[in-house]
């Protein structure tokens, strides 16, 4: 029986072998072959020949891909015995685009070391080499930065390649090769992402050019997924979006949360409606583009991750001077049962203050310690107290204005300037005045004495007092507005004549637009220290700073500090009584070189062969740096420069010695901590000692001449006045026929001729007779005045003169000195001499009388003048 079975089996196998192989050909192979191309890939499908059912072992299909008769790819597909009879497929994505060149596919089967015949399939690109311009492939493909890409250029018939390149990429490593008569390929490293929409691949011939677009970018790189809930009815996830993929146009990244699309995924936020229950679970986000897919997972219990909505309908219900009530509502009713804590951001325009409030379903808050008469802006944000996750967004802001109040107490200080004390205070800021300041009241008084008051209007912030330097004063200042007066601020003015030792002044350098001061702690400074500063010259703008007792250093900075201005800084110890001066310091915020021409009154003086150059003391307002001394440079015509200097900053002169007779240029400079500056020059020509003597004599003579000229001019201009004082005018006598007979009606002032032995020249000096109308004279005219005012004139010669006399009522004075020689000639009167008088005297047997003129007689008064006769001694 077994034998028969073996024989039947051998017969069947031999029959199958005859079916598989007929005349030596293996008949099991592919049939119904189809080829599809899509998205730069080849899909090949086929079925088995019915004869393959007799194959007992594994059946293998071999695939070969040829381009331009060259094998470019080989692959195999294994088919198990249970898969024989079904449809088989094979997919291949070539590194070169299918449009670059025709492809030939060869497929055959192999089993039991026997193979079937090749079945051929051809893939020919549409329009291959029939275009009018070069064609570049692949087109609009996405590449990852850092990868390699192969591009081809298919040329039209009869054209030759000129250039094939990738725009914006270096061509140093490109390898261009030719794979057919019409196709060129090159492979490039894509190390740079597309900067705009894509990167161009350009192919040029002599007659035309064309190109394709390549999108070079990155796969998604999102991270840090975190999910939360806001209303317990949905989940909201946040994550960090990765770097820019540069594929937003061709392949933007798409997002899915719990397999639901996210419309706002590119912003790193996505929400999904889902009921939030207690307990942890996974929340998954998927991000993908054509290059890769990224999955992010967050495991959390969202009941502990509540991100509340911001409060809404925030309003102020009541406002007072220093407090206000704030109310708001919630967007979700579920918040009414939550334990909530809130933060209130209170802004006064300059500062921000955050205050906290807690409570279940909290929906109001009271704001305390507000500034009166001030505008505030308030915002609110809240979060859960238990399992606090994060704050909500800030609510919309609400503005309100508090009611005004009395001003705050003033910050007052003092400054002693000579015999005056300046009381000054800082003008209250808007947040200190609590309303518009009207005025200030100053009250001062010595200890235990009646006080004095005064008011100054705003915005003045100082008041000058002239106090008794031997007494201690208490001064208080208050500010007032429409709501009332501030609390008084008091300062004690110390006794300025205590005889205390003066505090010496030191110097300090400025630093970064201010001063850094430090001092030793003082036990008397029980309430701290006061540091004040003001410029040493110019407008006294006083400023000060209060320092607590625990600090002994301070940084002084103010927008009013100026470079090149010397400031006086004082450190006072604050006590319960008067402040005590501890230190005085001088300094500049920044020292500056003094400009040239500092010494405006430069003078010089030669002493023998030395020259002293002097100047006025330099005013403090002209010193933009500390002066440490002065230097005098002098240069002669030979350009030899010499100098002398002094280290005394108070000096006002320097002397150059042992000079030569020459011209010198003297230049004075100030030596300061920042260098030499303030140069001022004069030019001097030195004279010899003889020249100096001559110059001195000439100056003396010139001075005398000028004085004499002045005297002559003054005398000439005032000659009439001098004549009146030295030689007053003598009035003309009024004469009549009987001028010697009427003694009772007129008075005369006679001139007496001294009786004695005199020559003719001495006796002929007869003065003129002065007469004036007056009342009758009972007594004699004052003899002392007779000579000076009475003169008699003669203009005719007298040959024989005898002595005649008339009795006078009193003694007569002596005659004046004798006449001059011009009047007397050869012992007789000179008839040619013309006297000043127009009248002439004639002699007669009874004596002599003046000569009469008709005009004078007509003008003479009717009453004759009383005259006093004189004794006239004439030569015999």
């Amino acid at each position: 029986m077994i034998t028969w079975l073996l024989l039947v089996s051998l017969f069947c196998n031999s029959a199958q072998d005859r079916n598989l192989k007929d005349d030596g050909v293996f008949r099991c192979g592919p049939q119904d072959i189809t080829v599809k191309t899509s998205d730069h890939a080849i899909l090949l499908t086929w079925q088995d020949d019915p004869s393959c059912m007799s194959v007992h072992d594994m059946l293998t299909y071999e695939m070969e891909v040829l381009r331009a008769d060259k094998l470019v790819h080989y692959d195999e597909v294994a088919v198990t015995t249970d898969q024989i009879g079904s449809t088989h497929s094979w997919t291949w994505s070539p590194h070169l685009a299918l449009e670059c060149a025709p492809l030939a596919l060869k497929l055959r089967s192999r089993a039991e070391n026997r193979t079937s015949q090749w079945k051929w399939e051809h893939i020919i690109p549409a329009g291959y080499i029939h275009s009018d311009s070069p064609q570049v492939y692949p087109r609009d493909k996405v590449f990852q930065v850092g990868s390699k890409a192969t591009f081809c250029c298919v040329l039209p018939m009869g054209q030759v390649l000129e250039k094939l390149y990738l725009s914006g990429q270096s061509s140093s490593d490109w390898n261009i090769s030719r794979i057919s008569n019409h196709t060129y390929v090159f492979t490039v490293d894509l190390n740079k992402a597309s900067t705009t929409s894509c990167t161009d691949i350009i192919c040029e011939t002599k007659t035309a050019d064309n190109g394709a677009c390549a999108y070079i970018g990155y796969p998604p790189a999102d991270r840090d997924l975190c999910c939360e809930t806001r209303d317990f009815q949905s989940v909201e996830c946040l994550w960090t979006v990765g770097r820019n993929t540069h594929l937003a146009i061709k392949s933007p990244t798409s997002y899915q949360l719990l397999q639901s699309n996210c419309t706002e995924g590119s912003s790193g936020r996505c929400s999904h409606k889902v009921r939030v229950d207690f307990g942890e679970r996974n929340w998954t986000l998927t991000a993908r583009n054509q290059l890769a897919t990224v999955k992010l997972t967050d495991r959390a219990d969202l009941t502990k991750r509540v991100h509340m909505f911001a409060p809404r309908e925030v309003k102020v219900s009541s406002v007072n001077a220093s407090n206000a009530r704030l109310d708001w509502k919630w967007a979700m009713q579920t918040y009414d049962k939550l334990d909530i804590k809130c933060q209130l951001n209170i802004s006064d325009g300059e500062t921000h203050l955050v205050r906290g409030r807690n409570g279940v379903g909290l929906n109001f808050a009271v704001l305390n310690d507000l500034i009166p008469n001030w505008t505030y802006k308030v915002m609110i944000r809240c979060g859960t107290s238990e399992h606090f996750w994060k704050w909500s967004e800030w609510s919309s802001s609400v503005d309100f204005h508090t009611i005004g109040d009395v001003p705050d107490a003033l910050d007052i200080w003092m400054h002693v300037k000579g015999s005056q004390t300046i009381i000054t205070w800082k003008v209250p800021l808007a947040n200190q005045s609590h309303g518009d300041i009207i005025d200030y009241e100053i009250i001062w008084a010595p200890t235990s004495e009646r006080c004095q008051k005064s008011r100054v209007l705003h915005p003045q912030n100082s008041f000058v007092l002239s106090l008794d330097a031997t007494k201690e004063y208490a001064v208080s200042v208050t500010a007032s507005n429409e709501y009332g007066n501030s609390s008084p601020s008091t300062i004690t003015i110390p006794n300025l004549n205590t005889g205390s030792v003066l505090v010496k002044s030191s110097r300090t350098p400025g630093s970064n637009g201010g001063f850094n001061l430090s001092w030793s702690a003082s036990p008397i400074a029980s309430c701290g220290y006061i540091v004040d500063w003001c410029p040493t010259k110019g407008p006294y703008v006083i400023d000060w700073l209060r320092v607590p007792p625990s600090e002994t250093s301070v940084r002084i900075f103010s927008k009013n500090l100026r470079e090149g201005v010397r400031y006086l800084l004082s450190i006072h110890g604050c006590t319960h009584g008067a402040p005590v001066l501890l230190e005085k310091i001088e300094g500049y915020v920044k020292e500056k070189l003094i400009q040239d021409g500092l010494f405006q009154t430069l003078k010089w003086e030669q002493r023998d062969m030395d020259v002293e150059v002097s100047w006025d003391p330099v005013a403090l307002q002209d010193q933009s740096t500390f002066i440490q001394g002065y230097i005098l440079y002098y240069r002669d015509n030979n350009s030899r420069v010499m100098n002398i200097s002094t280290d005394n900053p108070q000096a006002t002169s320097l002397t150059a010695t042992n000079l030569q007779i020459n011209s010198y240029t003297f230049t004075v400079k100030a030596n300061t901590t920042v260098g030499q500056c303030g140069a001022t020059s004069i030019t001097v020509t030195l004279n010899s000692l003889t020249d100096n003597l001559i110059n001195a004599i000439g100056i003396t003579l010139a001075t005398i001449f000028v004085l004499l000229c002045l005297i002559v001019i003054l005398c000439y201009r005032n000659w009439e006045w001098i004549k009146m004082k030295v030689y007053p005018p003598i009035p003309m006598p009024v004469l009549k026929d009987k001028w010697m007979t009427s003694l009772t009606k007129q008075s005369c002032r006679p001139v007496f001729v001294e009786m004695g032995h005199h020559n003719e020249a001495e006796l002929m000096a007869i003065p003129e007779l002065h007469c004036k109308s007056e009342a009758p004279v009972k007594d004699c005219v004052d003899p002392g005045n007779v000579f000076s005012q009475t003169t008699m004139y003669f203009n005719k010669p007298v040959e024989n003169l005898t002595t005649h006399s008339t009795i006078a009522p009193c003694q007569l004075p002596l005659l004046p000195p004798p006449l001059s020689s011009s009047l007397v000639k050869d012992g007789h009167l000179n008839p040619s001499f013309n006297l000043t008088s127009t009248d002439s005297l004639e002699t007669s047997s009874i004596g002599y009388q003046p000569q009469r003129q008709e005009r004078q007689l007509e003008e003479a008064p009717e009453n004759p003048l009383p005259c006093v006769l004189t004794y006239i001694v004439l030569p015999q």
Side-chain angles (χ1 to χ4, degrees), residues 765-807:
I766 302 175
E768 182 183 356
L769 180 63
H770 291 263
C771 299
K772 62 180 179 177
S773 300
E774 58 184 10
V777 181
K778 296 181 180 180
D779 298 327
C780 177
V781 178
D782 184 3
N785 295 329
V786 171
F787 176 74
S788 63
Q789 299 183 6
T790 305
T791 307
M792 300 180 67
Y793 292 89
F794 298 86
N795 59 2
K796 287 186 179 182
V798 179
E799 298 179 355
N800 296 315
L801 296 178
T802 58
T803 303
H804 299 276
S805 63
T806 303
I807 299 174

Side-chain angles (χ1 to χ4, degrees), residues 696-713:
I697 295 173
I699 292 173
T700 303
L701 293 176
T703 304
I704 294 174
F705 177 76
V706 171
L707 290 175
L708 291 176
C709 290
L710 291 175
I711 293 172
V712 170
I713 293 172

Side-chain angles (χ1 to χ4, degrees), residues 721-739:
W721 178 84
I722 295 173
K723 182 178 178 182
M724 288 292 295
K725 291 297 183 182
V726 177
Y727 186 68
I730 300 173
M732 297 294 297
V734 179
L735 304 177
K736 278 192 175 183
D737 293 338
K738 300 180 180 180
W739 64 280

Side-chain angles (χ1 to χ4, degrees), residues 321-436:
S322 59
N323 57 69
R325 176 188 169 102
L326 208 62
D327 296 282
W328 63 87
K329 295 182 180 180
W330 294 114
M332 307 299 300
Q333 292 183 354
T334 54
Y335 292 177
D336 295 337
K337 298 179 181 180
L338 292 178
D339 188 5
I340 299 172
K341 64 178 180 180
C342 295
Q343 284 186 337
L344 288 78
N345 186 345
I346 307 169
S347 172
D348 59 6
E350 296 179 357
T351 59
H352 294 268
L353 178 64
V354 178
R355 297 179 179 177
R357 296 290 187 272
N358 292 71
V360 176
L362 184 67
N363 59 3
F364 78 94
V366 177
L367 309 178
N368 297 316
D369 301 325
L370 302 179
I371 301 173
N373 191 40
W374 199 252
T375 300
Y376 285 93
K377 179 181 291 185
V378 182
M379 297 185 296
I380 310 170
R381 66 178 183 180
C382 301
T384 55
S385 295
E386 185 179 4
H387 307 299
F388 176 78
W389 170 240
K390 64 173 63 173
W391 293 108
S392 69
E393 294 83 5
W394 289 103
S395 68
S396 58
S397 61
V398 58
D399 297 341
F400 65 93
H401 195 88
T402 55
I403 299 174
D405 201 353
V406 298
D408 292 343
L410 297 173
D411 183 4
I412 68 172
W413 186 235
M414 66 167 187
H415 182 77
V416 178
K417 182 182 177 184
S419 61
Q420 295 180 331
T421 301
I422 302 173
I423 304 299
T424 182
W425 55 90
K426 294 185 178 179
V427 175
L429 301 176
N431 59 352
Q432 298 170 333
S433 61
H434 312 324
D436 295 334

Side-chain angles (χ1 to χ4, degrees), residues 432-449:
Q432 298 170 333
S433 61
H434 312 324
D436 295 334
I437 298 294
I438 300 174
D439 58 14
Y440 305 94
E441 184 181 58
I442 302 95
I443 301 175
W444 70 96
T447 306
S448 303
E449 293 187 18

Side-chain angles (χ1 to χ4, degrees), residues 528-529 547-552:
Y529 303 90
V547 182
S550 59
E551 298 182 11
T552 57

